[in-house]
Amino acid sequence: MSAVLNIEEVLTPDALACRIANYYIEWDMHRQIKITEWEEIQKYIFATDTTKTTNSKLPWSNKTTIPKLCQIRDNLFANYMATMFPKKKNVIWEGYSKDDETLAKKHAIEDYMCWVQDQPHYMKEIAKCVLDYIDYGNVFAMPEWVDGRSLTKDGRSKTGYAGPRLRRISPLDIVFNPTAPSFAESPKIVRSLVSLGEVKELLDRESSTPEEREDSEVLYEYLKDYRASVNTYQGTTFTKDAIYQISGFDSFGAYLSSNTVEVLTFYGDVYDEGKDKFMRNQIIKIADRHKIISQRDNPSFFGTVPIYHVGWRIRPDNLWAMGPLDNLVGMQYRIDHLENMKSDVIDLITYPVLKIKGYVGDFTWQPMEHIDVGDEGDVEMLMPPYQAGRANTEIAVFEAKMEEMAGSPKEAMGFRTPGEKTKYEVQRLENAASRIFQNKISQFEMHFIEPNLNSMLELARRYMDETTIRAFDPEYNINVFKELTPQDITGNGRIRPIAARHFAEQAQLVQDLNNFLASPAGQDPEVRLHFSSVKLAQMWNELLDLEQFKIIEPYIRITEQAEAQKLQAVSQEKMMVSTGTPSGIGTDADPTAGINSMAPGPTGPGPQGPAY
């Protein structure tokens, strides 16, 4: 009989770390039903046939799946992204005092945040967050500071991006108390899997004093030593405590045998029973669910946990929200059921079941086949009902309902609803039909993008040094490079994204302006005297997003008309000179013949011919 190693015998756990790990297990159990629902939705989104879904047990020979959930997902994603980022500049700075609202500070902060959003990583992370919003109904992200600069070959300057970056947190990797009054008030635990080398780098980064570096070395050696003890042990390993059951691994021994380290990062307030101390706004990192590898106060100026969450369909008493696809799975099941039932009925019509009575010789069911039957023998086809085609109508009805219930009206897909409409009635109907869509995208912008952008700006104020950014100057229609310092972007106020919340308002404003300008009041010259043509042009430039074409410039048409008249005068002058210039035809010998031939002769006008 082989020896048995109890893993707890080689561990020296921290009481606070184990308590936090127990919180993780408890809160993770509260969301297991939700995880099962998410898995089912993911299967339907990426399914190629019904055998890949929970619809695989239906007794049909056909296994077709209509990817309606996938199509709704793609449609919502495309429209959400187009609405949130319709143009390059989609944020504004609102200062809380006169000094914070100066043009210099306003332009500096807005240009810096536009530069941050222009980085490729930002849009990639936002795209992942929007997909989480659709697939899971819950989005989580936090800002982080990165410095990817490297010295140039001459060693004089650094190149690369240094600034705040958005980091998406998978809904599967974060737990919290779902019954808390709000997400901001609930403690949070984020799970991540890293290598042992990354833990070493983390310990070195978190150690700033010689004493801390010494403690980090001892902790790192401890993590390596008990792993080595388990890996060299030849017998059976087990653990009594369920706290050491790491998700994704068969056992804690198998987990320790890998080069992977599970790190649980706790954010929030915590009470340490061992020290009888209440600690507010802490960030605690735990390795292997029993050992604290770092603990520090949250350095954010806001004093809150820098993790932000938004839900698609909010529940009053549960922080885990529903997604747009959650309650459409049953309808997806239904349309797959109808599609395969219809196909099976058509197969039965094409290849009917035969009813054989009495003695019938062997035969092959094919055209022009001769069947020998005995006395009272007979072969009869059993035809199913011919109403299978009605399933197409039911499927179309279900698909239309699914689109509407997901907040994705047909107008948003480019299809016009039936009925005759006037020029502006279409716009009004589109705005009314898109209210759910506008509400959900505005919700995402207000509760997710806005706090993340403000938190990224706060990070820049803490860690930024002198930075060169690329910005667009609308006055001269050129790109300029600005040198910014932390003082340039420091102010009391907030960053507001304006794309989604102003999308419907701008569309309505364009419609109202067109109506007014075409009305008798808008055509009245006395009324038009009070309208600034320059400001109207700037307004249309903003509403129609014409900055990229650089076509708006005060009184540019006067300059262009003067230039056109100048060119026209030069062209006319050239034409007159060309008309008055002799062609030289018929004057091969004398180059002045063309001029002299028009001079009056001795007996009168006209050319004088030779004497004969």
Side-chain angles (χ1 to χ4, degrees):
M1 182 177 180
S2 61
V4 177
L5 172 65
N6 184 358
I7 294 179
E8 281 93 337
E9 296 176 359
V10 297
L11 302 180
T12 55
D14 296 331
L16 180 59
C18 292
R19 186 178 179 191
I20 292 175
N22 280 322
Y23 279 135
Y24 176 84
I25 295 173
E26 177 185 353
W27 293 338
D28 185 54
M29 290 175 58
H30 290 166
R31 61 172 188 159
Q32 288 304 309
I33 296 177
K34 197 68 182 172
I35 290 178
T36 303
E37 294 176 356
W38 290 342
E39 290 176 351
E40 183 178 22
I41 291 172
Q42 291 296 308
K43 288 180 180 179
Y44 271 109
I45 289 175
F46 299 104
T48 55
D49 56 67
T50 56
T51 61
K52 308 295 192 302
T53 70
T54 55
N55 206 0
S56 58
K57 297 181 180 180
L58 284 180
W60 310 115
S61 59
N62 289 276
K63 304 295 182 182
T64 302
T65 181
I66 299 177
K68 188 59 186 178
L69 281 183
C70 182
Q71 182 266 331
I72 292 175
R73 174 187 191 253
D74 294 343
N75 179 35
L76 289 176
F77 175 73
N79 283 281
Y80 284 170
M81 293 297 292
T83 305
M84 284 191 294
F85 303 99
K87 55 184 179 180
K88 186 175 182 180
K89 184 177 180 180
N90 51 26
V91 296
I92 59 173
W93 167 255
E94 293 181 347
Y96 292 160
S97 66
K98 184 177 180 180
D99 294 337
D100 297 316
E101 192 70 20
T102 60
L103 285 178
K105 186 170 292 293
K106 182 179 180 68
H107 290 164
I109 294 177
E110 289 177 358
D111 290 342
Y112 181 78
M113 293 310 299
C114 287
W115 177 71
V116 169
Q117 288 182 293
D118 282 341
Q119 303 303 315
H121 183 272
Y122 179 80
M123 292 306 300
K124 290 180 181 178
E125 289 299 293
I126 282 292
K128 294 178 184 178
C129 292
V130 173
L131 289 176
D132 285 345
Y133 194 51
I134 301 169
D135 293 352
Y136 301 104
N138 294 271
V139 190
F140 304 90
M142 64 182 300
E144 62 180 2
W145 182 264
V146 295
D147 191 344
R149 295 175 296 182
S150 58
L151 287 172
T152 56
K153 293 182 179 179
D154 57 10
R156 296 181 180 178
S157 61
K158 290 184 177 182
T159 60
Y161 174 72
R165 184 174 69 178
L166 188 69
R167 179 166 71 90
R168 170 240 180 194
I169 300 174
S170 171
L172 301 174
D173 293 334
I174 184 172
V175 297
F176 50 88
N177 182 8
T179 61
S182 67
F183 179 78
E185 298 176 64
S186 172
K188 307 157 189 66
I189 302 176
V190 179
R191 177 179 185 259
S192 56
L193 295 175
V194 299
S195 66
L196 198 58
E198 290 175 294
V199 173
K200 171 66 174 174
E201 190 272 336
L202 172 63
L203 290 171
D204 293 341
R205 188 173 68 248
E206 298 286 342
S207 303
S208 57
T209 64
E211 292 79 8
E212 290 178 346
R213 284 192 289 271
E214 183 178 351
D215 293 340
S216 297
E217 288 294 332
V218 173
L219 178 57
Y220 182 68
E221 291 299 323
Y222 163 77
L223 295 177
K224 289 199 309 181
D225 288 345
Y226 76 78
R227 275 176 164 75
S229 300
V230 173
N231 292 337
T232 57
Y233 189 75
Q234 301 298 322
T236 304
T237 61
F238 79 100
T239 175
K240 299 177 182 178
D241 199 336
I243 195 176
Y244 300 113
Q245 301 302 320
I246 306 297
S247 176
F249 297 89
D250 295 335
S251 64
F252 194 66
Y255 160 74
L256 295 178
S257 299
S258 67
N259 192 36
T260 303
V261 180
E262 182 194 61
V263 177
L264 300 179
T265 306
F266 174 88
Y267 298 88
D269 303 336
V270 65
Y271 174 69
D272 189 346
E273 293 181 352
K275 298 180 181 179
D276 191 22
K277 182 180 179 182
F278 179 79
M279 295 170 287
R280 187 176 297 278
N281 207 6
Q282 296 291 297
I283 300 179
I284 306 173
K285 294 184 181 294
I286 301 165
D288 300 338
R289 298 197 179 182
H290 76 281
K291 204 67 177 177
I292 295 177
I293 59 177
S294 72
Q295 180 175 355
R296 60 191 175 95
D297 294 334
N298 180 13
S300 174
F301 292 153
F302 296 148
T304 57
V305 177
I307 300 178
Y308 303 99
H309 164 252
V310 65
W312 196 86
R313 182 179 288 121
I314 301 172
R315 303 182 188 211
D317 301 318
N318 193 329
L319 294 179
W320 286 108
M322 287 184 66
L325 308 181
D326 285 12
N327 49 11
L328 300 182
V329 174
M331 300 181 76
Q332 175 69 58
Y333 185 98
R334 179 65 176 173
I335 62 175
D336 285 349
H337 171 81
L338 290 172
E339 175 64 27
N340 290 299
M341 179 182 65
K342 177 197 68 175
S343 299
D344 278 4
V345 170
I346 293 175
D347 289 345
L348 288 174
I349 294 173
T350 308
Y351 305 100
V353 176
L354 300 179
K355 175 184 176 183
I356 300 177
K357 179 181 177 181
Y359 172 76
V360 178
D362 294 338
F363 65 92
T364 301
W365 183 252
Q366 62 183 4
M368 306 302 295
E369 176 72 9
H370 294 277
I371 303 175
D372 295 328
V373 298
D375 295 339
E376 298 182 357
D378 190 16
V379 176
E380 179 183 356
M381 292 186 299
L382 298 180
M383 301 299 294
Y386 285 88
Q387 291 81 11
R390 296 180 181 177
N392 290 329
T393 304
E394 293 188 35
I395 291 174
V397 170
F398 278 119
E399 289 181 339
K401 285 184 179 179
M402 291 173 72
E403 289 278 355
E404 295 173 4
M405 293 177 182
S408 176
K410 287 187 176 294
E411 299 285 355
M413 298 178 61
F415 295 99
R416 189 174 179 183
T417 53
E420 188 68 25
K421 299 179 180 66
T422 62
K423 182 177 181 181
Y424 300 109
E425 186 181 0
V426 175
Q427 185 69 49
R428 289 197 301 271
L429 290 175
E430 209 171 280
N431 290 339
S434 301
R435 280 175 185 155
I436 295 178
F437 173 82
Q438 287 295 332
N439 174 264
K440 298 304 180 183
I441 203 63
S442 298
Q443 185 173 284
F444 185 90
E445 188 178 72
M446 287 188 291
H447 301 304
F448 183 77
I449 294 182
E450 181 174 325
N452 271 292
L453 289 179
N454 283 280
S455 189
M456 292 166 74
L457 180 61
E458 185 268 339
L459 270 181
R461 292 168 180 169
R462 279 194 281 140
Y463 298 115
M464 186 182 107
D465 51 19
E466 188 171 339
T467 302
T468 302
I469 68 169
R470 184 173 183 265
F472 178 75
D473 189 342
E475 182 177 356
Y476 298 101
N477 290 331
I478 59 173
N479 289 316
V480 296
F481 292 90
K482 292 184 177 181
E483 297 285 343
L484 297 179
T485 63
Q487 289 72 27
D488 295 328
I489 62 172
T490 300
N492 187 18
R494 65 167 180 165
I495 282 286
R496 287 188 62 223
I498 58 174
R501 274 174 279 185
H502 286 213
F503 187 79
E505 289 85 348
Q506 288 180 349
Q508 186 67 39
L509 181 58
V510 170
Q511 173 188 325
D512 293 341
L513 284 171
N514 285 327
N515 284 335
F516 173 76
L517 295 176
S519 67
Q523 297 293 329
D524 188 347
E526 299 298 328
V527 174
R528 285 179 174 264
L529 287 175
H530 304 289
F531 283 80
S532 168
S533 59
V534 175
K535 292 184 178 180
L536 275 174
Q538 292 173 348
M539 181 189 64
W540 286 113
N541 183 48
E542 177 70 20
L543 292 176
L544 302 179
D545 191 20
L546 302 177
E547 289 182 0
Q548 57 180 323
F549 302 106
K550 303 177 182 179
I551 63 175
I552 302 298
E553 185 176 339
Y555 304 110
I556 185 63
R557 182 163 294 187
I558 296 176
T559 304
E560 292 175 347
Q561 288 175 350
E563 187 71 20
Q565 291 176 0
K566 181 180 177 180
L567 292 175
Q568 186 177 5
V570 172
S571 178
Q572 290 176 352
E573 183 179 352
K574 289 182 178 179
M575 184 177 296
M576 292 176 64
V577 172
S578 176
T579 303
T581 302
S583 64
I585 299 175
T587 58
D588 296 338
D590 187 1
T592 62
I595 299 176
N596 295 334
S597 62
M598 299 303 295
T603 58
Q608 300 296 316
Y612 290 99

